Amino acid sequence: MKRDHQDICGADGGGYGNSSGSKGESSITSKGKLWEEDQDAGDMDELMAVLGYKVRSSDMADVAQKMEQLDMAMGTAQEDGISHLAYDTVHYNPSDLSSWVQSMLTELNNPVLPNSDSNSSKPQQHQQIVSSNQSQVYNDDSEYDLRAIPGIAAYPQPKRIKTSMETDSSSSTTEPSTQPVVLVDSQEAGVRLVHTLMACAEAVQQENLKLADALVKHIGLLAASQAGAMRKVATYFAEALARRIYGVYPQDSLHPSYTDMLQMHFYETCPYLKFAHFTSNQAILEAFATSNRVHVIDFGLKQGMQWPALMQELALRPGGPPVFRLTGIGPHQPDNTDALQQVGCKLAYLAETIGVKFEFRGFMVNSLADLEPKMLDIRPPEVETLAVNSIFELHRLLARAGGIEKVLSSIKTMKPKILTIVEEEANHNSPVFVDRFTEALHYYSSLFDSLEVSGVVPPSSQDLVMSESYLGRQICNVVACEGVERVERHETLAQWRSRMKTSGFSPAHLGSNAYKQASMLLALFAGGDGYRVEENDGCLTLGWHTRPLIATSAWQVAATE
Amino acid sequence: MVQNHHGTVGENKGKRPKFFINDHVDILIEILKRLDCRSLCVAASVCRLWCTIARNDSLWENLCFRHVSPPPSSVRSVVLALGGYKRLYMGCVRPVRSRLGRVRRASWARDEVQLSLSLFCVDYYERLGGGSNSNGRLVGESSPSSLMFLCKPMNV
């Protein structure tokens, strides 16, 4: 008898709804891979029979999935006592693997009172029986789904076989939980949802568009069964996948004032932008400590929300405020309005109110790479101290070859005293689509989860919806676009660090003042407990629970020997 | 609380004249200066004189900097320009202090005020509005507030 050494998803038995169907797929390494599929066998799988298990070939995938769930449930229920499974549960006919696993799962859902001894062949953890926590059916499962995902993304558990699907994460948490993890139907649907999303991404990468199309529709159904953040994330990702499948990209380009508005809502509902502004401002302030004339170049002025706080701190500086010059960079406006000038006027009004001498210039460019230092009227360092500030702008340059290098070398010729960069802490720029998709799924799940908690009450208010829309556009860009259209090319702090170092910048450590201010700011937000400010070798990151989401770093031009 | 006993002028019982706090506004101010926010608001409902005094911005200045060493004089002009101490206190300092009360450390008192000042300035800037779309909002929307997050109830 010929044995086919294929991955479980490579075969086409029935009931493989949860994995992509194309052959030659080698990246899925779930536990199923250990069970070799034999298509010629009759009802029972031959190899399993050798081991003493009777499993129908057609049931293999199902059993595999159930084993995974069981593993997860046991792994997370460690503290809570599942030893009743070892001692108290009756298992009939364990060689019938399918029904045995099913009965284990239902046991976990509804643990039966101790009866007779069991005959289980699965290794048990020997824990104390904690009598207080019995079967409490968990209705609030969406948060479990999501807290797990950031945890796994940040600290992948080594004992699990690393899968590109990362399905294990969906129904367990890496944090020690004192409540029993019980699988309820919608949680299982949540597992399926992530499975299906990943499978769809795989299919898209394989260019198996028919399958991808079917899966995308399935995602919609599954997403409807979820609540809260998980549903929203799944919906946005499904939409992005659909766009990619049908080739309906790029997205309609919106008027910049509309995207600015979305960002304003995002600014108000959650602390990410405020964190970015406050930490950058602190670094800039410290660089400006001894100067009487200062100049800031802002690579993305938008509504200028960063600068009032800086101006206020400059105004109250002991010794009086310096002369403050601001150069704001922004995109061209389709209707030829001068949005930059309007913002400049507002800032000028504020400056006059608080007694700071202020000058403003605006530059509209299509891309930062179009900037020439000569245009910016840079004055020599002895006369004026320069700071360059970029909040979520640099990653866009990675879409075109040479863009980032040109901008960084332009910055160097400007000789700033400090360069502050805030970027998303994620790798959404991998050339492999599935990797990018997985990373983005984890990242935006954390982000949406944090919005859910810290958002305006009631959750369906306009601000929350707008903030989610703002993020949804990013998701769409990461997933559906390619080439120069794909501008949301986020990279991790480590990647930026090495890029900055090779470009001739040395890190300037953000001080404890920045950390303190950031911590205070975070404590003000509802859901403040979930946010974490962390110091990372001189940079500050803001994250949701265990997952860092944005990172602020400061740089100066490296001294040349 | 000081009670107002209005002694009749005609009475001549040979006692000392009763002390009428409203005759001594400077003392009244000194007393009201030391009240906490809630008491000050209650005091504002006592009578017209107290109301006028309690709404005076300098009392709120004391509240803002109560636990902090006196700020440089430049702060006053800035705060007044941005809307005054009462607004600063009610809008920023009070919610900041109450939120941070859970995690407060003694050394944070000054930083709390500084953070409040920054948020206050941002709020002023947002309220400037003006122009059709320059404040980043669609026309017809309710006025923005970056301090909204401070007004929302916290799930403690």
Side-chain angles (χ1 to χ4, degrees):
Chain A
M1 306 265 185
K2 186 167 74 75
R3 304 232 186 284
D4 289 82
H5 293 258
Q6 284 174 343
D7 296 343
I8 191 162
C9 51
D12 55 346
Y16 288 96
N18 297 325
S19 49
S20 64
S22 53
K23 292 197 185 192
E25 172 72 69
S26 58
S27 59
I28 302 218
T29 57
S30 67
K31 286 192 168 95
K33 194 172 182 174
L34 300 172
W35 305 341
E36 290 159 30
E37 177 67 16
D38 193 327
Q39 289 166 304
D40 295 328
D43 224 10
M44 303 297 165
D45 184 83
E46 278 197 18
L47 288 182
M48 295 302 290
V50 167
L51 294 171
Y53 291 107
K54 301 199 199 69
V55 192
R56 268 191 279 278
S57 318
S58 47
D59 286 347
M60 291 282 266
D62 209 40
V63 175
Q65 193 204 2
K66 288 200 179 103
M67 293 282 270
E68 277 180 346
Q69 288 171 3
L70 197 53
D71 184 27
M72 280 185 262
M74 285 179 170
T76 54
Q78 281 180 46
E79 273 88 14
D80 314 322
I82 48 165
S83 48
H84 63 89
L85 288 173
Y87 301 118
D88 303 324
T89 321
V90 180
H91 296 279
Y92 297 105
N93 193 12
S95 66
D96 181 358
L97 197 54
S98 177
S99 61
W100 169 77
V101 171
Q102 182 59 44
S103 75
M104 291 275 276
L105 275 177
T106 39
E107 285 295 337
L108 271 180
N109 280 337
N110 320 301
V112 183
L113 287 176
N115 208 339
S116 50
D117 55 332
S118 78
N119 186 12
S120 160
S121 55
K122 216 173 185 318
Q124 303 294 332
Q125 286 96 345
H126 296 282
Q127 305 287 340
Q128 313 235 347
I129 295 182
V130 181
S131 54
S132 57
N133 45 352
Q134 285 305 317
S135 56
Q136 305 295 328
V137 174
Y138 246 81
N139 288 321
D140 181 19
D141 50 82
S142 59
E143 291 197 40
Y144 264 104
D145 280 340
L146 292 174
R147 283 205 199 111
I149 293 176
I152 289 285
Y155 305 116
Q157 290 182 350
K159 80 173 169 81
R160 299 200 190 288
I161 297 170
K162 199 89 159 97
T163 77
S164 64
M165 293 170 86
E166 301 278 359
T167 56
D168 297 336
S169 60
S170 306
S171 49
S172 65
T173 89
T174 52
E175 297 149 16
S177 79
T178 53
Q179 301 122 338
V181 174
V182 182
L183 301 177
V184 292
D185 279 343
S186 57
Q187 193 163 23
E188 196 174 306
V191 175
R192 286 239 171 82
L193 180 55
V194 179
H195 271 274
T196 319
L197 277 166
M198 298 309 308
C200 189
E202 294 277 358
V204 166
Q205 179 166 284
Q206 301 293 321
E207 307 210 1
N208 183 348
L209 296 182
K210 275 195 74 168
L211 174 64
D213 185 35
L215 288 170
V216 154
K217 296 191 170 95
H218 199 51
I219 292 172
L221 287 172
L222 288 170
S225 73
Q226 295 295 299
M230 188 68 203
R231 183 183 70 235
K232 294 172 193 173
V233 172
T235 311
Y236 278 115
F237 273 89
E239 186 202 323
L241 281 167
R243 280 183 181 272
R244 196 183 178 97
I245 293 167
Y246 298 124
V248 182
Y249 54 79
Q251 220 178 358
D252 306 321
S253 59
L254 296 175
H255 195 282
S257 70
Y258 182 69
T259 51
D260 278 358
M261 181 201 71
L262 289 181
Q263 197 185 50
M264 276 303 295
H265 285 272
F266 183 68
Y267 178 84
E268 277 154 28
T269 46
C270 49
Y272 300 104
L273 279 175
K274 287 195 177 83
F275 170 86
H277 292 170
F278 274 77
T279 45
S280 309
N281 283 348
Q282 196 57 38
I284 295 174
L285 260 177
E286 283 166 18
F288 282 173
T290 51
S291 311
N292 287 323
R293 301 192 74 90
V294 301
H295 182 200
V296 174
I297 299 179
D298 186 1
F299 277 175
L301 185 66
K302 304 251 167 48
Q303 294 298 315
M305 297 297 293
Q306 181 171 356
W307 307 116
L310 182 72
M311 291 203 284
Q312 175 262 315
E313 300 237 34
L314 288 175
L316 297 179
R317 198 170 74 151
V323 177
F324 179 57
R325 197 153 76 93
L326 176 66
T327 302
I329 318 284
H332 281 289
Q333 303 282 320
D335 52 2
N336 285 330
T337 54
D338 197 344
L340 291 175
Q341 209 54 40
Q342 286 172 353
V343 173
C345 284
K346 265 174 76 174
L347 287 169
Y349 185 83
L350 172 68
E352 199 189 310
T353 309
I354 60 178
V356 176
K357 292 204 189 68
F358 180 70
E359 280 174 48
F360 177 81
R361 281 187 78 182
F363 284 95
M364 296 208 222
V365 292
N366 280 326
S367 157
L368 287 175
D370 299 337
L371 275 180
E372 298 290 336
K374 297 188 287 287
M375 294 156 41
L376 299 170
D377 186 20
I378 312 285
R379 297 180 198 156
E382 315 81 61
V383 174
E384 192 176 63
T385 312
L386 174 66
V388 178
N389 181 74
S390 157
I391 311 259
F392 300 138
E393 293 292 336
L394 287 187
H395 60 259
R396 298 167 169 268
L397 294 165
L398 300 173
R400 274 179 220 268
I404 187 73
E405 289 81 4
K406 177 160 191 286
V407 170
L408 288 178
S409 72
S410 299
I411 296 176
K412 277 200 297 188
T413 58
M414 298 180 206
K415 298 204 197 72
K417 184 140 183 237
I418 194 146
L419 161 66
T420 51
I421 298 178
V422 180
E423 285 290 329
E424 290 92 344
E425 169 65 1
N427 184 1
H428 295 159
N429 200 16
S430 165
V432 180
F433 176 71
V434 168
D435 292 345
R436 210 161 74 221
F437 186 86
T438 317
E439 270 286 318
L441 189 58
H442 289 179
Y443 181 81
Y444 287 102
S445 298
S446 298
L447 214 37
F448 271 76
D449 199 17
S450 73
L451 276 185
E452 201 77 2
V453 177
S454 70
V456 184
V457 177
S460 58
S461 87
Q462 186 181 36
D463 270 320
L464 189 57
V465 169
M466 295 284 189
S467 309
E468 288 162 1
S469 184
Y470 172 78
L471 295 174
R473 291 173 55 76
Q474 288 183 6
I475 293 174
C476 212
N477 192 276
V478 174
V479 172
C481 297
E482 280 301 341
V484 293
E485 298 290 341
R486 179 158 66 87
V487 290
E488 299 292 347
R489 293 181 183 249
H490 310 149
E491 289 196 346
T492 61
L493 180 60
Q495 288 170 294
W496 283 107
R497 271 207 181 107
S498 70
R499 179 177 283 120
M500 296 303 287
K501 288 199 177 123
T502 50
S503 303
F505 289 90
S506 63
H509 283 215
L510 296 167
S512 59
N513 274 336
Y515 182 88
K516 189 162 48 162
Q517 205 182 37
S519 307
M520 280 174 58
L521 184 67
L522 267 311
L524 297 177
F525 276 82
D529 289 342
Y531 292 108
R532 297 248 188 285
V533 180
E534 272 163 12
E535 195 263 352
N536 180 336
D537 199 19
C539 304
L540 287 181
T541 62
L542 170 60
W544 177 249
H545 290 119
T546 50
R547 168 77 207 240
L549 293 171
I550 65 174
T552 307
S553 56
W555 302 90
Q556 52 212 17
V557 180
T560 48
E561 278 99 58
Chain B
M1 285 277 281
V2 177
Q3 296 184 354
N4 299 334
H5 290 295
H6 193 71
T8 51
V9 175
E11 265 182 25
N12 191 5
K13 301 185 178 172
K15 292 186 197 168
R16 279 187 310 129
K18 287 212 165 78
F19 182 80
F20 183 29
I21 186 65
N22 282 6
D23 287 338
H24 305 269
V25 176
D26 49 345
I27 299 182
L28 179 58
I29 290 176
E30 284 299 316
I31 296 172
L32 292 180
K33 249 196 222 173
R34 286 157 170 77
L35 289 180
D36 63 297
C37 172
R38 193 169 183 284
S39 307
L40 200 50
C41 295
V42 169
S45 338
V46 167
C47 65
R48 273 192 235 272
L49 176 65
W50 285 40
C51 184
T52 317
I53 296 175
R55 288 184 196 283
N56 189 302
D57 220 34
S58 58
L59 260 64
W60 297 93
E61 181 177 355
N62 276 313
L63 261 183
C64 289
F65 294 111
R66 179 152 294 172
H67 305 291
V68 179
S69 53
S73 49
S74 51
V75 174
R76 181 174 295 147
S77 56
V78 170
V79 174
L80 290 180
L82 293 177
Y85 281 99
K86 180 149 171 272
R87 201 181 185 114
L88 170 64
Y89 184 82
M90 292 302 235
C92 302
V93 177
R94 188 165 76 124
V96 166
R97 272 194 192 144
S98 73
R99 295 273 173 98
L100 292 181
R102 300 178 293 142
V103 292
R104 172 189 277 161
R105 290 165 228 174
S107 56
W108 277 13
R110 173 147 225 125
D111 302 292
E112 281 174 4
V113 181
Q114 272 181 347
L115 183 60
S116 308
L117 277 170
S118 299
L119 293 172
F120 190 51
C121 193
V122 174
D123 179 57
Y124 175 84
Y125 175 74
E126 255 193 313
R127 282 183 284 117
L128 278 181
S132 52
N133 279 326
S134 64
N135 58 354
R137 289 264 174 166
L138 296 178
V139 176
E141 278 187 356
S142 57
S143 65
S145 171
S146 67
L147 295 182
M148 229 172 20
F149 72 101
L150 285 177
C151 305
K152 287 193 294 292
M154 295 264 283
N155 35 330
V156 175

